[in-house]
Structures are given as structure tokens and as C-alpha cells.
Amino acid sequence: MLKVRSIHTYYGAVHVLKAASIHVGPGEVVAVIGANGAGKTTLLKSIAGTLFPASGRIDFEGTEVAGLFPEHRLGLGLALCPEGRRLFGGLSVEKNLLLGAFHRKDKDGVRRDLQALRERFPILDSFWNRPARNLSGGEQQMVALARALMSRPRLLLLDEPSLGLSPLLAKDILKTIRDLNREDGLSVLLVEQNARAALRIAHRGYVLETGRVILEGSGSELLAHEEVQRAYLGKA
Ligand code: ATP
């Protein structure tokens, strides 16, 4: 579905991604873990198109997307749910969700999806007409997730969905992601600081270190890997 091959991404002269390669198959949840500054966000932005890699290839369902603008990639089904949620605080929950569908022309479909999400996530319904800024961190994360779903993604790129949430809410949001994958077949590329929780719901995972993929394996293989345990799971 997604094949990222040997991409190099820079911020000016700063070389962040160094020949990073990953792939995501249809129906998979794939986690990318790594320390602060390893380049996880840069990887997602390079895939979503808010950053352009200097070289390398990104094939999404047969289309080379590395040179395409983000709106075009969104239209193909690549949606980014960014770190820090980036909601429009003054707009209602409903309006924030509608912004996720700004590029869609099927107005009836948009209305139906809006209603379906309202029913699926009761927390959204309780705050439907309220400004997003009045919601708690966990509630805002649900809105951000639902907004990304409004674009009808084929692959959801999720950047740190549990950041800043209590352990209970973090668990909730990861469970929601797992359910979306199991019940709706949504494919997910998940970047998380919370390596243990991410690897538990992931079919496969990658460890990124200073812009390079240093390990790859199934979720359970990585959870059992000595180096992963020592560096990312806090085990001696
Ligand atoms: P975190 O978990 O802290 O978000 P990350 O793995 O997502 O870390 P990135 O945000 O991708 O890491 O950052 C990778 C590197 O790029 C870091 O060294 C960071 O300082 C640098 N970097 C990020 N954004 C910029 C920018 N706008 N200009 C220059 N350097 C940047």
C-alpha cells in the first residue's frame, strides 16, 4: 500500500532522515518508535507532503507521491492527524470535523459520515456545538482523530495521539485506533513515544534512530527485543 524507499529529508542544512525506508500493507497497523528528535514526525510529514524529501521514493497504491502537494495526497487517501492536535479552538466540534472533508465533493456522503462519527464517538456528540478549545486534551484528541477520518483516509498517519494524555485516556485512544483497524480495516501508520502501548496494538513496527531505521519486526518481536526493552521500554 505504502512503500517509502530510502528518503532523505532536510530542514535547511540539517539532514534529518537518512535513507529511511518503511512499508505499510493494507489493513496493517504499523508503529514507528524512537527517541525524541529521531525523525518520527519528519517521516510522517514527508509522507503527508507537508515536507518534501530531497531524494528517495514514496509509492502510495501505485502512485509516486513524493513530489505531490499535501492536498493531492489527501485526495488519494493519505491523511495526517498531526502532533498537538491543531484544532481550530474557536470553532465548534462539528465545524472542525467538516474541515477534515474540505476537499470532498460528495456533500451527502460528508453529511452521512458526520452523523456516523457522531454516533460512533458519543464524546463528540456531547460537545457538538461547543468550541473545541473548551474540551479536555483527550476529548480534543478524539476530535482530531474524527476530523482525519472525515477525509475518508485509506491510510491514516497518526503523530503521537497519546501525547499529554493521562494513562487511562492514552489507553482509550489507542483502543479506538485498534478498533478502527479491526472493524473498518483502516490502515494506520502510528508514531508514538509510548512504545509499549504502540507495539501492543501494532502488527509491525520500526525503530528509528537519528533518521535511520535500525530495527524492524512484528509488534511482539520488538516488545521482546533486548535493545528495544533497554532503550524504549525502561527495562534494565
Ligand atoms: P519528537 O518526539 O521530539 O517530536 P521526532 O522523532 O518526531 O521527535 P522530529 O520532530 O522529526 O523528531 O525532529 C527530528 C530532528 O529535526 C530533530 O533533531 C529536530 O531538532 C529537527 N527539526 C525538527 N523540526 C525542525 C525545523 N523546523 N527546523 C530545523 N530542525 C528541525
Side-chain angles (χ1 to χ4, degrees):
M1 169 171 232
L2 176 78
K3 293 188 197 94
V4 176
R5 294 194 196 113
S6 195
I7 58 169
H8 290 261
T9 305
Y10 295 77
Y11 292 102
V14 185
H15 191 180
V16 176
L17 292 183
K18 297 162 183 158
S21 297
I22 65 161
H23 66 273
V24 181
E28 271 195 318
V29 176
V30 174
V32 177
I33 62 168
N36 278 332
K40 304 181 298 298
T41 297
T42 307
L43 177 64
L44 285 193
K45 286 184 172 172
S46 302
I47 298 168
T50 50
L51 276 174
F52 290 97
S55 63
R57 300 176 65 80
I58 304 175
D59 179 300
F60 181 60
E61 301 198 308
T63 305
E64 175 54 43
V65 299
L68 301 181
F69 286 113
E71 306 83 67
H72 196 160
R73 298 192 207 189
L74 186 66
L76 293 173
L78 272 172
L80 174 66
C81 187
E83 183 176 344
R85 314 187 249 283
R86 305 281 167 86
L87 298 178
F88 291 87
L91 295 184
S92 67
V93 166
E94 179 185 23
K95 293 228 161 64
N96 269 283
L97 259 57
L98 281 171
L99 284 171
F102 77 94
H103 65 296
R104 288 176 57 184
K105 307 239 170 348
D106 57 325
K107 297 297 162 215
D108 289 345
V110 169
R111 284 279 144 210
R112 275 198 301 276
D113 287 354
L114 202 60
Q115 191 52 36
L117 284 169
R118 191 173 181 170
E119 283 164 21
R120 175 160 200 159
F121 300 120
I123 196 77
L124 300 182
D125 186 45
S126 11
F127 294 101
W128 200 244
N129 293 309
R130 296 218 216 143
R133 73 162 70 89
N134 293 1
L135 277 61
S136 73
E139 291 154 359
Q140 288 193 14
Q141 187 59 60
M142 283 292 180
V143 178
L145 183 62
R147 179 182 59 183
L149 294 175
M150 282 300 294
S151 73
R152 288 247 176 129
R154 297 181 52 73
L155 174 61
L156 182 63
L157 309 167
L158 265 174
D159 198 355
E160 303 272 7
S162 76
L163 193 74
L165 302 185
S166 69
L168 205 64
L169 285 174
K171 212 169 154 196
D172 250 20
I173 198 98
L174 288 168
K175 182 178 174 303
T176 303
I177 293 159
R178 194 193 57 194
D179 290 348
L180 285 164
N181 169 260
R182 285 192 183 162
E183 292 162 19
D184 304 11
L186 181 68
S187 309
V188 180
L189 181 60
L190 170 68
V191 156
E192 260 293 341
Q193 287 274 321
N194 187 343
R196 180 176 283 104
L199 291 174
R200 276 192 184 142
I201 66 159
H203 299 103
R204 289 189 306 110
Y206 295 91
V207 179
L208 201 61
E209 201 175 277
T210 57
R212 293 186 174 86
V213 171
I214 58 154
L215 276 175
E216 174 185 355
S218 71
S220 46
E221 278 165 3
L222 290 178
L223 278 168
H225 196 285
E226 203 178 317
E227 199 175 328
V228 173
Q229 292 196 346
R230 184 182 47 75
Y232 305 104
L233 304 176
K235 290 191 184 168

